[in-house]
Amino acid sequence: MAMRSWAGRRRGVWVVVGVLAGVVLVFFAVRLVTDVPGVVTGVLPRADSFQYRYVAHPVPAYVHIVPGMVFLLGALFQLSGRFRSRHLVGHRRLGRVLVTAGLLSGVLAVVVGVWFPFGGPTETGAAAVFGVWFLITLVLGRRAVRRRDVLAHRRWMIRAFAVALGVGTIRVWVGVFQLVGVLAIQDGRGAPWFGVSFWLALVLHVALAEAYLRVGPRPGPVRRRVAVGPAV
Ligand code: HEM
């Protein structure tokens, strides 16, 4: 009975995950379209515009964003039971790439959040707390699988993914605050609400990950089979 109800819910979880990953992908595309011309020509946008910081500091910004996108999109495959059961070697190889990408993106998330946060100290605080949490989850997830503790590996990687996916929910909150008129991205007004979006989204995602790990589906036989494979 519980098994059957989770089969339906699992589909719902994947739909939400897909929508949020889609939101991140759209904002990544928007970044490229708005930043690349300025980076290439060296013409800086207005200093109070949102994109100014991305054009003025493209290296830290894009060493955060591009590996972050690699992590987020690659993790969609890693978390799919079907992919793991059919491509275990691929899961291991991709996993090494994604952990490296995630660590790079996480370190630069903290750097960007401290160096040029649009949302001021509120955003800096969130970037430091959740950036460090993201790094911890990746390190512990990697360590667990090296010990062949697949259950702990699964838990830490779900936590890492939940934070990465939170980037989509941040944008949802930013949209809500723009709609109610307390935040204006275009002219840099009300920027603390940008930082508040970070806190609301990432606290929610960390909490949802914990709830999923407590009441979500139990790991199936595929994951146990991984446990007896060679260490990565
Ligand atoms: C791992 C997956 C991640 C992806 C794909 C990602 C993607 C992005 C993108 C696309 C932006 C540009 C913002 C925009 O144009 O809307 C951005 C900015 C930023 N991200 Fe991430 N990110 C990830 C993880 C994180 C984590 C874990 C943190 C830490 C909380 C973080 C902190 C930041 C900060 C502080 C900014 C600068 C926001 C600003 O002031 O403009 N990111 N990220």
Side-chain angles (χ1 to χ4, degrees):
M1 179 67 182
M3 286 279 287
R4 196 183 303 160
S5 67
W6 259 109
R9 280 186 218 158
R10 206 191 294 260
R11 213 165 301 130
V13 170
W14 275 107
V15 169
V16 174
V17 165
V19 169
L20 289 177
V23 169
V24 182
L25 205 55
V26 167
F27 280 96
F28 172 57
V30 170
R31 282 266 55 77
L32 291 180
V33 170
T34 50
D35 303 344
V36 170
V39 173
V40 170
T41 59
V43 177
L44 289 177
R46 257 180 31 212
D48 64 350
S49 67
F50 185 75
Q51 61 263 37
Y52 172 81
R53 298 152 311 118
Y54 291 91
V55 179
H57 312 290
V59 174
Y62 280 88
V63 177
H64 165 62
I65 293 175
V66 173
M69 290 307 304
V70 170
F71 177 85
L72 185 63
L73 299 180
L76 294 174
F77 291 95
Q78 296 294 82
L79 294 174
S80 149
R82 193 177 298 179
F83 178 76
R84 282 197 310 278
S85 60
R86 291 184 186 173
H87 307 286
L88 184 52
V89 174
H91 175 79
R92 288 182 175 137
R93 287 186 182 148
L94 183 58
R96 291 189 197 107
V97 174
L98 297 187
V99 168
T100 308
L103 290 174
L104 199 56
S105 178
V107 169
L108 268 295
V110 179
V111 171
V112 167
V114 170
W115 189 353
F116 46 88
F118 187 73
T122 326
E123 181 185 329
T124 301
V129 168
F130 296 101
V132 169
W133 174 240
F134 181 62
L135 292 171
I136 290 172
T137 59
L138 288 173
V139 169
L140 294 183
R142 171 78 175 139
R143 224 172 63 174
V145 81
R146 285 188 71 86
R147 289 195 316 263
R148 300 190 187 187
D149 185 350
V150 175
L151 293 181
H153 171 63
R154 170 183 180 268
R155 280 198 296 275
W156 286 114
M157 289 313 182
I158 286 174
R159 289 176 175 127
F161 181 69
V163 175
L165 199 62
V167 174
T169 305
I170 290 172
R171 277 293 159 186
V172 173
W173 279 111
V174 166
V176 168
F177 290 135
Q178 286 189 281
L179 271 179
V180 300
V182 293
L183 176 63
I185 291 283
Q186 286 72 17
D187 56 10
R189 273 190 299 114
W193 287 99
F194 192 80
V196 172
S197 308
F198 269 70
W199 282 99
L200 288 175
L202 295 174
V203 166
L204 178 71
H205 275 246
V206 168
L208 284 177
E210 295 310 313
Y212 182 82
L213 291 174
R214 274 166 185 71
V215 302
R218 297 291 100 206
V222 170
R223 293 179 187 87
R224 277 186 217 114
R225 217 168 44 233
V226 175
V228 296
V232 284

